[in-house]
Structures are given as structure tokens and as C-alpha cells.
Amino acid sequence: MLVFLQSRNGITTLERADPEKLTTQPAFLTGWIDRRDPFRSKDIFVMKRTRDVRLSLLILLSSLSSVSSQVNPGVCRYPLGMSGGQIQDEDISASSQWSESTAARYGRLNFEEGDGAWCPEITVEPDNLKEFLQIDLRSLHFITLVGTQGRHAGGIGNEFAQMYKIKYSRDGSRWISWRNRQGKQVIEGNRNAYDIVLKDLEPPVVARFVRFMPVTDHSMNVCMRVELYGCEWLDGLVSYNAPAGQQMNIPEHVVYLNDSVYDGAIIYSMTEGLGQLTDGVCGLDDFTESHVYNVWPGYDYVGWSNQSFPGGYVEIMFEFDRIRNFTTMMVHCNNMFTYNVKAFQHVVCYFRSESDWEATPLAFSPSVDDEDPSARFVPVPLANHMASAIKCQFYFADVWLLFSEITFQSDTAMYNTTLTPPKAGLPPIIQPEDDPTHKVDDSTTRILIGCLVAIIFILVAIIVIILWRQVWQKMLQKVSGMANEIQMTESILSTQSETFAYSHNQSSGGTSEQESSSTYERIFPLGPDYQEPSRLICKLPEFAQNSEEPASSSTVAQDGVPHYAEADIVALQGVTGSNMYAIPALAMDLLSGKDMAVEEFPRKLLTFKEKLGEGQFGEVHLCEAEGIQEFMNKEFLFDVPEEATVLVAVKMLRSDASKNARNDFLKEIKIMSRLKDPNIVRLLAVCIYSDPLCMITEYMENGDLNQFLSRHEPEGQLALLSNAATVSFGNLCYMAAQIASGMKYLSSLNFVHRDLATRNCLVGKNFTIKIADFGMSRNLYSGDYYRIQGRAVLPIRWMSWESILLGKFTTASDMWAFAVTLWEILNFCKEQPYSQLTDEQVIENTGEFFRDQKRQIYLPQPVLCPDSLYKVMLDCWRRNAKERPSFQEIHRVLLQIQP
Ligand code: ADP
């Protein structure tokens, strides 16, 4: 007889079993993970799951009768419906949301709807773990695996959770923090915004509600997409209460027989929890070993000595989710009689259906086995008792009782332990009592149904295997066809005359379809990290600056590459520099935001002084603000003014502004209110309770850097003769270093500015610089932003090639813009970048950067710029975004430059 065993490392083994040993329920019938060494028999077949189709079929045949009353964690790994859509939107909630388009319902793994993920309202702080994404599974589930992914949104997003914690609840009120077998709560999450990372929950949990809580070591923007994997918890067991497990002293060492993963309270006894007795893993024959999880001996068992139980029995009470009709209880017991351990000799069970316990208990005495020391399941018939709680007294047959699992069979609810989906296409929430197939009592009918189902499974499995192999081959071809991907991007760019951004799904050439699984495709362990190559396109160096692979630009930079719809882009954009934007039609919930870091200021305390300038929203005024110090968040204010009246800049939304412009204005407020750095302009207060909407910022007395430098000259003879105001080279570097410092702060938050230029930096006293104008980054979470609608204008002379051609904005593209800004500074803003090129030629030049055939034109070395600094600027304009320096490096370089 073949026994189907599945080990934890993804290798499936088939073992020829000794029929003698199968006196009690055999492992293959129960579908349990058997920890006995699968390599001990010489008749073993070891099979790599993905290699041998014939052996897969053998396994399928061997598991024909693998319909079990117990859950098997090795098989119970089905996606529970975040990615498949079976979990309804209303069952997905969150602590907060950044905007309507990043609400909880967008937190579905592999979904690209909305703005591409769930994003909490505020930056996640290391010491403030209150943000969570919550899933209600509507019924108890056995959850073995979780999957997470960040916000990619076709290259626009770059937010993900590097770490997270899980909390779960069975009743919605008592929440339990998940810990691994070593007691650690934090789970390592994603390293980029697109790959799916799967993590086994060891131990698995039984829960109805699950919360994902992002964890960070520094404050940062986090977005998540998630999936839960497992199966419905048909046992219905909600908790067991038992005396706490004890320690056994044997000559070699101490064996700890406590329930180390119990999730209820443990004082003298264990109450209201589930733990090792329900984790789906059976203990070894030899309980003194425990090599599976690298933990202490006896780990798998909960054990008690008869010396502590004068009555001669251990009482365990089991509570269920509802009244059930019980047929069997299965108790996995150790039987190493050489250590005075034996399965129980007698059990007495009491049943409670409503509030009262039944008067007559049920008693059962299994045969005591003094010969075979193997651990075994002892089935206890429960004779169709109706109950919602069962209390059993297990009588000692020797000094020790050691249990590793206890499960219940009721209402003929059965787990499917075959490799094929249990009910492909059905929603995961299946109430056994609602499902007619669960009500078949007659055993012959059950066998017949089992056979029929098994035949269907085999046919489906064969089809799936054949299709899967074909898809796999296609995927391999795809990986080798990098050039094809580029062509596809070109065609997207050339056909999307109205759409600037490339759509991630489109450009990945349908890989998402190939990867998207049927509802019940089971997730097998793939390796220690279970990294899935979810987006081939993201791994291509041309498309992902985060990719680990080395750049191979030569493979794609070929002659004859078309011009990426340059004409289309040119037709859509206008001249650089001014700020007109496509306006996203997104609802904005700023006013309801509870965590606003900025306060409303009484409008009447503002006194107009003069007009400072005019921006896209309206005029910017210099005002006196009476008593504004009280409204300032001192913690983050860098130069707290002492005077009663303070000069401030007040940016106002013009009265005829559209609803969208109003939303954008509020979004900019929202972003600015959270940025706190000496080199970022501070939002001090707002007037948003009434119109016109105003943001009150620090006043920077020297205006924007572009105008400031235009009014100045480099030090030297010429300046002396013309009597012009000068700025030293040292001060130019000082100003550039401050911009780098502000950008360093933004990049630490994964925040992309997208419009860095001298015109967007403000100058205060003593050459202090603060970055301003978050007009483009306010669309951080807007998938709409890149749709160029007729008049939209982009600052193409500051933009990296990938921002122009692929719509990809990252910290590395900010770095590109920084080098252009540095170039402007060193030229005293006397000249526009690429002033000798028309806009069409700038776009053509971008194509040359993409082709990288040494035909691209770089901005020339400014007269004042030392060679070493020009080299750094050229590094910032490297084709491969990964090779560009970081803001930390640039900041360091600028601080070190000697005039
Ligand atoms: P928008 O981003 O809507 O285009 P800006 O923020 O650029 O508007 O403001 C327009 C002009 O107002 C700037 O070029 C600058 O000269 C002036 N300005 C804006 N904010 C300040 C400030 N905090 N201090 C001094 N001048 C400012």
C-alpha cells in the first residue's frame, strides 16, 4: 500500500507502508503531516513536485480516498478570496485610508484597481503601530499562509511594507497577536512594490478576522495588497480548556510538554484558546526529539503526569461555534511506554447542547498497546451526540499522557486532502449545514461520491498539468525575449496618444493572466522566502531601477528602434517650466482627517501686506499673522519666531477654481502637513473652514531660487564692475547641499517630488533653501495623473528619460532633476536647460538616452563647475536608474566641495 506523505520542504514522498502498522487510522486517510522520517524506508520514491507528471498522477491515485475529517496544513493552502474576489468589498476594512482610491477594498493581492493598493492615511511611524488592513472571512478558517505585495500601479507607485504583524480574532472582540514558534511577531514583508512575498504562518491560526499591520523602522509611506491562504475550519472548534502542560525529567534532559502556541490565557490552566492540539501537526514517535522546527524536545506534545491528577484523569473541555452532530473524536497520542508514556486507557465525555450538560456521559475504552511504541491516532466514537461543548476526562494508562492533536468529526463535514481544488469556482465561505453534499450520512453513498469526485479531480488535474506546462514554457520564452518587451513598450507608447503612463498590465504582456490562479489553486512552499517573479517586466533593467539584476542595456539598445511616439508626446505637451496639470477626479477626505498635523487659523488675524507671486491655484500673498506661534507645531518648527506678529506667505485658491482644483489644493495641504524637515517649506496653518481656501507657509524673504539667482552674479571682476550682487561658489554649493538634504528626507519617506527645479525652491535669510511646490507629488496616489488631457504641461527639460518615455517617476528620476537643478544653480539660472534645443529635440534627445548609443546630448559643464562635480552630474543622468547616486551620496559630495 502506498502512503502519501508530504514533507515541509516541498518534496513529496511516497512510502510503501507496513499494513501491520495501520491498526489505527493511517496517516494517508487522515491527511496529516507525519513527522516520522520519510527516508527511513528503503521503498521510498522521492519526487520533485514540478518535474514528474506521472508520479503526480500516482499521488493523485493514492489520495483517492483522501477525504478526511481533519485539516492538513500541507494541503490547506488555497487563496481565500482577496485576489479572486470572493471576499466582498464590505468585508475588507482598514484603520484609515489615504484617499477613496486607496481604500481598504484596493488591498487585494494582484489587483491594480483604484490607485493600486490600500494606503493608510498617514505615514507609518515606528513607534505608532495603529494602522491595519482587516479582512472578515465570515466564518472560521484555518490559515496557513499569507501573501503581501506593495503598490506598484504600473510604475507610478513605490510604497510597500518591509515588515508587518498579524493580529487575528475568532469572535471579532478578542484580538490575538500572531507569533511564530520562536515567539517573534514581526514578519518580513516586501522589498519592492511589485513582487508577491508569501510567508508560512508557523503556527497556522484559526480565525475569522485577520489584520495586517505594517511595521516600519523609520517613518514612511506604506501601501499593501494582501491575500490569505488556507481552508475553512470545519472542526468548528473555537477553544479548548485544559490543565497547563508539564515538564518531564528524563536522564538525558528536560522535556517541555507545555502548549507553546496556545493563544488563550495560561495561568494554572489553559483557557479560551487553541494551540498545538489543533495546529494540524502530529508529534514524532519519539517525543524526546523535535527536529522539525528547531525547537526544544517535547515541543510537539502537550503532556501531563498522573502525580498531579489524583482523580487519575486529565479533563479537557472543547467549545464549538454552534451545536453540531458529533461522530468521532480523534486523539493523537504518544505511546513510548519505555518512558512511561501511553495512550489513554479510558475516556468519559460529557455533552452540552444548550446550557445544560447531558446527564449520562459517554464512555469508551480503547485497547492499551504495550507492544508498539509508535504515536497514533486513537478514534473515539461520539455516537452522533448533539453538542456545542464537550468535556472529556482522559484516564491515565501509565505515568504520562502525551497528546499532540485532537480533532472532531461532525455533521459529516469533510476536508479534501487531495492535490486538486476542493470546489473550484465556489466561494470560499461554505457553511457545511447549507451545503447538501455535507449532509450525506450513508457511508456507501459517501464512497461513491468520493470515487466520482476523485475521477473528476484526476481529469481536472491532468488538464491543469498539461496547461501549466505549456504556460511555463511560454513564460520561459518570455524571460528570454527581453527585446520583445521593449518593442511592446514602444507600441504602447506609440499607440497611447492620450495616455502618457504605460499600463503595467499591458506592458507586462499578459503575464498577470498567466500568473493569475484559479480560485483554489494551491500555493506550495517555493523556498525560504517564497518570492514569486510576479512581474517579469519589472525585472528588466530598462523598467525597474529596483531590480537586483545587472543592467544589460546593450541588449535593447539596437539600431532601428522607432521613436517612441515622440511626435505624440510633443503634440501633447507644451513648453517647460510653467505649471499646468492634469487634474485627477478624486474625492478628498481631508476635512474628516483626524490626524491632521496642521490647524485652522482665524482668517481675521491675517493682514495683507503685498502680493508675492501668482501660482496655478491663485495668488500668493505676504501677510502678517497675529499670534500664529500658538498654532505652530513647535516640535517641528526650526526657527520659532518670537515677535507677536509674524510674516507669512498665504497661498490662496482662486474663487472660480473647479472642484478638482479644490481637491488638488487640499491634497497639497495634506502632503505638506506631513513633511517636517529644515529644508522643506513648512505649512504653518490653514484656512479651510471657509472660502477662499488658504495655506499659510513660512515666508521666504528672497523668493524662489530661480528669480534669486537671476538677480545675482558670480563673484569676480565683472560683478565688481557692474556693481551687481554676488553669490560665492561656496554659497552655491551650500544651497545645493540644502536641496540635497531636503531630497534625502523625501526619499527616506519613499516620496517622489517629480518637479524639482530652482523655480520650486525658496530662498530665505542667509542663503537658506527650502524645497516647495508639491504640485506634482500631490498626485502621489492618483492613477489618473499621467493622463495628459490636451493642455497638460510637463517639465520635460528636468525629466529623466524614463519619466518621459515610460511615465516612471522614482527617487532616481528626482535625482536626474536634481542634477539639472544643480546645473541651473551653477549657471545662475541665466539659461534654460538645453536652451539650444526645441521641445521636439529635447524629446528626441530623450530617445537617444534610451538607445544609449552615445548620441545623447548632455547639459554642458558650467564654467563654475569643477570636473569632479560635473562627473557627479553625469552620474545622475545615467541611463540605468540604479547606477545614479543616492541623495545621501550627493549631499555628502556637496558638503565636501571646496571652492
Ligand atoms: P504654484 O505652486 O501654485 O505655482 P507657487 O508656490 O510657485 O505657486 O507660488 C508662486 C510664487 O509665489 C513663487 O514663485 C514665489 O515667488 C512666491 N512664493 C510662494 N511661496 C512663497 C513663500 N513661502 N515665501 C515667499 N515667496 C513665495
Side-chain angles (χ1 to χ4, degrees):
M1 182 182 284
L2 282 174
V3 176
F4 164 45
L5 303 173
Q6 194 189 336
S7 70
R8 293 173 32 74
N9 57 9
I11 294 175
T12 311
T13 63
L14 292 174
E15 185 170 343
R16 210 173 286 282
D18 176 0
E20 299 281 290
K21 281 196 170 176
L22 300 173
T23 46
T24 55
Q25 188 102 348
F28 83 101
L29 281 178
T30 62
W32 286 82
I33 285 186
D34 191 321
R35 291 212 199 143
R36 284 167 290 192
D37 183 4
F39 300 101
R40 71 196 160 141
S41 158
K42 48 183 180 332
D43 287 327
I44 289 171
F45 303 89
V46 178
M47 186 199 79
K48 282 271 178 209
R49 183 171 57 82
T50 52
R51 299 256 166 86
D52 195 324
V53 176
R54 279 165 304 167
L55 274 174
S56 312
L57 290 174
L58 265 178
I59 289 175
L60 281 169
L61 284 170
S62 73
S63 55
L64 266 183
S65 47
S66 295
V67 177
S68 153
S69 65
Q70 289 95 26
V71 67
N72 176 348
V75 173
C76 170
R77 300 168 77 83
Y78 303 98
L80 295 181
M82 286 295 277
S83 42
Q86 291 81 6
I87 295 174
Q88 302 295 308
D89 282 351
E90 60 264 31
D91 293 329
I92 311 170
S93 55
S95 51
S96 71
Q97 63 191 40
W98 168 265
S99 66
E100 223 5 75
S101 52
T102 57
R105 64 179 181 281
Y106 298 114
R108 297 171 181 273
L109 199 87
N110 251 339
F111 257 55
E112 297 284 346
E113 310 290 296
D115 278 343
W118 161 70
C119 309
E121 170 159 33
I122 55 164
T123 310
V124 174
E125 305 287 343
D127 48 355
N128 190 7
L129 293 184
K130 60 178 189 177
E131 300 294 344
F132 61 81
L133 177 64
Q134 177 175 316
I135 300 157
D136 177 359
L137 293 167
R138 290 292 179 105
S139 64
L140 290 177
H141 279 70
F142 189 80
I143 303 162
T144 51
L145 186 70
V146 289
T148 58
Q149 199 178 12
R151 189 183 85 98
H152 187 255
I156 300 166
N158 190 27
E159 300 82 21
F160 50 90
Q162 291 169 326
M163 296 174 283
Y164 61 95
K165 289 184 183 182
I166 296 271
K167 275 195 174 182
Y168 63 95
S169 172
R170 288 187 272 275
D171 57 8
S173 62
R174 190 169 76 93
W175 288 89
I176 305 156
S177 296
W178 178 84
R179 294 167 190 275
N180 73 6
R181 296 192 192 271
Q182 279 74 30
K184 203 176 142 204
Q185 288 186 26
V186 176
I187 305 175
E188 265 186 46
N190 298 88
R191 302 222 179 109
N192 57 47
Y194 40 86
D195 278 330
I196 295 170
V197 173
L198 301 175
K199 291 282 174 186
D200 265 308
L201 287 186
E202 286 286 0
V205 297
V206 175
R208 172 179 160 175
F209 302 90
V210 179
R211 281 180 181 172
F212 287 81
M213 311 181 72
V215 174
T216 58
D217 54 10
H218 63 282
S219 79
M220 67 183 289
N221 294 321
V222 166
C223 299
M224 289 186 95
R225 287 178 283 169
V226 304
E227 177 63 285
L228 298 168
Y229 301 85
C231 54
E232 199 174 13
W233 177 237
L234 299 180
D235 269 41
L237 188 59
V238 179
S239 71
Y240 59 80
N241 298 355
Q246 299 176 327
Q247 280 180 25
M248 181 194 284
N249 296 309
I250 57 171
E252 303 93 82
H253 41 236
V254 180
V255 182
Y256 297 94
L257 298 167
N258 59 331
D259 191 338
S260 31
V261 298
Y262 191 72
D263 62 16
I266 312 174
I267 304 174
Y268 297 110
S269 63
M270 302 187 280
T271 44
E272 297 208 347
L274 295 175
Q276 271 176 254
L277 296 184
T278 50
D279 69 354
V281 185
C282 293
L284 299 170
D285 287 350
D286 183 351
F287 66 90
T288 65
E289 286 177 25
S290 185
H291 46 253
V292 177
Y293 298 118
N294 228 350
V295 280
W296 53 92
Y299 179 85
D300 312 322
Y301 286 96
V302 186
W304 305 270
S305 154
N306 65 0
Q307 283 158 11
S308 316
F309 297 88
Y313 62 82
V314 170
E315 186 174 275
I316 307 182
M317 180 154 93
F318 306 92
E319 305 254 14
F320 297 85
D321 54 350
R322 59 183 168 82
I323 297 176
R324 289 168 171 258
N325 178 353
F326 288 95
T327 47
T328 321
M329 170 171 69
M330 305 285 293
V331 187
H332 191 262
C333 310
N334 191 277
N335 203 47
M336 271 191 94
F337 43 80
T338 45
Y339 284 96
N340 301 110
V341 177
K342 255 187 226 152
F344 58 95
Q345 58 150 315
H346 185 65
V347 62
V348 177
C349 291
Y350 298 81
F351 298 86
R352 191 188 69 197
S353 48
E354 296 298 336
S355 52
D356 299 328
W357 291 95
E358 271 179 30
T360 37
L362 178 147
F364 176 73
S365 302
S367 55
V368 175
D369 185 349
D370 294 329
E371 280 161 24
D372 181 3
S374 309
R376 79 272 316 279
F377 269 106
V378 179
V380 178
L382 297 180
N384 290 100
H385 273 269
M386 300 291 290
S388 62
I390 303 176
K391 186 167 65 185
C392 291
Q393 294 163 348
F394 297 92
Y395 283 80
F396 289 87
D398 208 321
V399 180
W400 286 92
L401 259 186
L402 265 62
F403 295 164
S404 78
E405 287 291 328
I406 301 182
T407 64
F408 292 84
Q409 191 175 327
S410 61
D411 300 349
T412 69
M414 294 296 230
Y415 290 101
N416 188 307
T417 61
T418 62
L419 290 177
T420 42
K423 274 179 180 294
L426 272 188
I429 299 152
I430 305 162
Q431 296 291 352
E433 64 270 30
D434 298 340
D435 187 337
T437 59
H438 286 287
K439 290 202 169 150
V440 184
D441 274 337
D442 179 68
S443 61
T444 7
T445 323
R446 230 186 294 160
I447 290 166
L448 270 175
I449 290 172
C451 287
L452 278 172
V453 169
I455 289 164
I456 294 166
F457 285 165
I458 291 168
L459 288 173
V460 172
I462 292 169
I463 294 165
V464 167
I465 289 164
I466 292 167
L467 286 177
W468 184 75
R469 285 176 73 120
Q470 282 176 354
V471 167
W472 183 246
Q473 272 164 4
K474 268 193 205 156
M475 279 175 78
L476 286 178
Q477 282 165 8
K478 254 196 172 15
V479 175
S480 60
M482 288 158 83
N484 294 347
E485 290 285 359
I486 292 299
Q487 277 169 6
M488 200 174 304
T489 311
E490 287 153 13
S491 73
I492 288 163
L493 286 165
S494 61
T495 51
Q496 288 184 335
S497 58
E498 286 294 310
T499 307
F500 186 62
Y502 74 102
S503 145
H504 185 82
N505 284 338
Q506 283 166 295
S507 53
S508 58
T511 47
S512 61
E513 252 165 61
Q514 288 157 8
E515 287 150 15
S516 77
S517 50
S518 74
T519 314
Y520 281 101
E521 184 183 339
R522 189 154 67 95
I523 300 293
F524 285 89
L526 302 174
D529 244 356
Y530 308 133
Q531 289 276 0
E532 271 196 353
S534 67
R535 302 276 183 235
L536 287 177
I537 191 154
C538 299
K539 298 285 179 193
L540 300 177
E542 296 69 36
F543 294 88
Q545 113 279 4
N546 287 332
S547 154
E548 302 297 309
E549 281 79 31
S552 55
S553 52
S554 58
T555 54
V556 291
Q558 291 161 354
D559 271 325
V561 176
H563 279 229
Y564 321 113
E566 290 159 358
D568 290 339
I569 293 173
V570 174
L572 288 164
Q573 58 78 45
V575 214
T576 65
S578 71
N579 288 325
M580 290 161 61
Y581 300 96
I583 294 164
L586 281 170
M588 169 70 200
D589 57 346
L590 174 75
L591 292 166
S592 62
K594 30 194 185 312
D595 298 303
M596 278 281 290
V598 65
E599 283 183 61
E600 175 78 12
F601 186 75
R603 202 180 286 273
K604 59 177 187 301
L605 298 181
L606 287 173
T607 314
F608 173 81
K609 302 288 286 179
E610 65 182 74
K611 183 175 153 183
L612 289 172
E614 181 137 16
Q616 64 157 132
F617 289 119
E619 294 185 345
V620 181
H621 292 173
L622 173 66
C623 292
E624 273 179 359
E626 204 186 311
I628 194 156
Q629 294 92 329
E630 285 168 32
F631 291 80
M632 294 176 182
N633 187 342
K634 304 269 185 329
E635 191 190 341
F636 297 107
L637 202 69
F638 306 100
D639 308 304
V640 184
E642 281 166 16
E643 314 84 49
T645 305
V646 179
L647 287 177
V648 293
V650 180
K651 195 165 171 173
M652 284 187 298
L653 182 67
R654 66 172 61 87
S655 51
D656 59 352
S658 67
K659 199 170 157 231
N660 285 343
R662 195 183 167 87
N663 277 349
D664 279 357
F665 191 80
L666 292 170
K667 267 193 177 170
E668 194 167 334
I669 290 179
K670 190 165 175 171
I671 286 175
M672 285 189 69
S673 69
R674 288 177 185 140
L675 299 177
K676 287 143 194 168
D677 183 84
N679 297 115
I680 305 285
V681 77
R682 281 283 294 142
L683 179 67
L684 303 176
V686 291
C687 305
I688 51 175
Y689 287 170
S690 61
D691 283 341
L693 303 186
C694 294
M695 48 178 116
I696 304 171
T697 63
E698 302 173 76
Y699 170 53
M700 301 293 283
E701 36 281 274
N702 284 308
D704 72 63
L705 181 58
N706 192 288
Q707 291 171 16
F708 176 77
L709 284 179
S710 306
R711 294 195 300 265
H712 288 75
E713 297 289 338
E715 284 177 330
Q717 283 298 346
L718 262 177
L720 269 177
L721 287 175
S722 64
N723 211 9
T726 59
V727 180
S728 68
F729 177 74
N731 278 332
L732 291 183
C733 290
Y734 171 57
M735 291 194 286
Q738 291 176 75
I739 302 176
S741 178
M743 291 306 295
K744 194 167 85 176
Y745 167 74
L746 292 185
S747 64
S748 75
L749 298 178
N750 267 348
F751 187 98
V752 182
H753 187 288
R754 298 163 199 242
D755 197 8
L756 185 58
T758 51
R759 65 180 171 277
N760 290 328
C761 298
L762 295 172
V763 188
K765 288 191 202 99
N766 303 325
F767 304 104
T768 39
I769 297 278
K770 297 188 192 230
I771 300 167
D773 211 328
F774 297 87
M776 278 179 79
S777 44
R778 75 170 157 258
N779 295 294
L780 185 65
Y781 295 123
S782 164
D784 287 349
Y785 177 69
Y786 299 98
R787 281 193 201 122
I788 303 212
Q789 289 150 351
R791 299 178 311 125
V793 176
L794 291 164
I796 54 167
R797 288 163 198 267
W798 282 259
M799 282 162 70
S800 67
W801 73 266
E802 74 274 10
S803 301
I804 293 181
L805 294 185
L806 303 177
K808 185 168 180 173
F809 289 81
T810 59
T811 295
S813 60
D814 271 355
M815 179 50 75
W816 181 296
F818 175 82
V820 181
T821 309
L822 182 57
W823 182 91
E824 288 185 274
I825 292 174
L826 294 170
N827 279 309
F828 276 78
C829 299
K830 300 286 188 293
E831 198 189 324
Q832 201 190 33
Y834 304 108
S835 58
Q836 77 286 12
L837 302 186
T838 61
D839 287 332
E840 287 80 354
Q841 287 167 332
V842 170
I843 302 274
E844 264 169 37
N845 193 37
T846 305
E848 294 300 345
F849 271 105
F850 172 72
R851 287 184 209 103
D852 207 16
Q853 291 170 328
K854 311 236 177 310
R855 292 207 294 257
Q856 63 271 46
I857 300 168
Y858 291 91
L859 288 170
Q861 182 170 356
V863 182
L864 284 175
C865 183
D867 292 348
S868 58
L869 189 55
Y870 188 58
K871 201 182 148 298
V872 176
M873 283 160 77
L874 293 176
D875 284 345
C876 298
W877 299 321
R878 280 178 183 262
R879 181 187 186 282
N880 186 343
K882 273 196 306 175
E883 292 173 7
R884 295 175 202 156
S886 66
F887 281 107
Q888 276 97 320
E889 287 169 276
I890 282 278
H891 184 229
R892 208 173 34 243
V893 167
L894 286 166
L895 288 180
Q896 282 164 2
I897 285 202
Q898 298 298 322

